[in-house]
Amino acid sequence: YQKFYQNGTYERSRESGTEANYDMVIRNDYSTSAAKVDILKKGQLVKIRDMKSTGQDGWGLIEPGKWVCIEDWNKGMTYLTKVN
């Protein structure tokens, strides 16, 4: 899991999984305008394989072609939390 900051830096933990804090839309790219391809249910655990930032939010790739928003900095929301 990596936590992105708006200044472009990030921190990486040694945790191997993350848990969804809410029911989340999974999209085919790291954008809220990208096509919806699946749903990540609250409490479901996923492994983040890659990370991307739009400058306004941070996204995690959970499978090829499946991205989920991890954090939205404009709204101050964290949608996924690292697990032990």
Side-chain angles (χ1 to χ4, degrees), residues 14-28:
R14 297 191 192 318
E15 311 297 337
S16 62
T18 56
E19 181 178 355
N21 298 331
Y22 306 91
D23 288 351
M24 299 292 302
V25 173
I26 298 173
R27 299 182 181 273
N28 70 349

Side-chain angles (χ1 to χ4, degrees), residues 8-9 21 23 26 31 34 37 40-42 48 59-60 63 66 68-69 81-82:
T9 64
N21 298 331
D23 288 351
I26 298 173
S31 168
V37 295
L40 180 64
K41 292 293 195 175
K42 180 180 178 179
I48 303 298
W59 291 79
E63 291 180 25
K66 291 188 174 186
V68 64
C69 186
T81 303
K82 57 187 170 180

Side-chain angles (χ1 to χ4, degrees), residues 15-84:
E15 311 297 337
S16 62
T18 56
E19 181 178 355
N21 298 331
Y22 306 91
D23 288 351
M24 299 292 302
V25 173
I26 298 173
R27 299 182 181 273
N28 70 349
D29 204 356
Y30 58 98
S31 168
T32 55
S33 61
K36 299 175 184 179
V37 295
D38 208 344
I39 298 291
L40 180 64
K41 292 293 195 175
K42 180 180 178 179
Q44 187 174 348
L45 298 176
V46 293
K47 182 176 179 181
I48 303 298
R49 301 167 186 269
D50 192 13
M51 302 283 293
K52 298 287 183 186
S53 171
T54 66
Q56 297 178 18
D57 43 31
W59 291 79
L61 178 69
I62 57 174
E63 291 180 25
K66 291 188 174 186
W67 291 87
V68 64
C69 186
I70 296 172
E71 292 182 284
D72 184 323
W73 300 307
N74 289 334
K75 295 179 181 176
M77 297 292 294
T78 301
Y79 300 114
L80 295 174
T81 303
K82 57 187 170 180
V83 295
N84 294 329

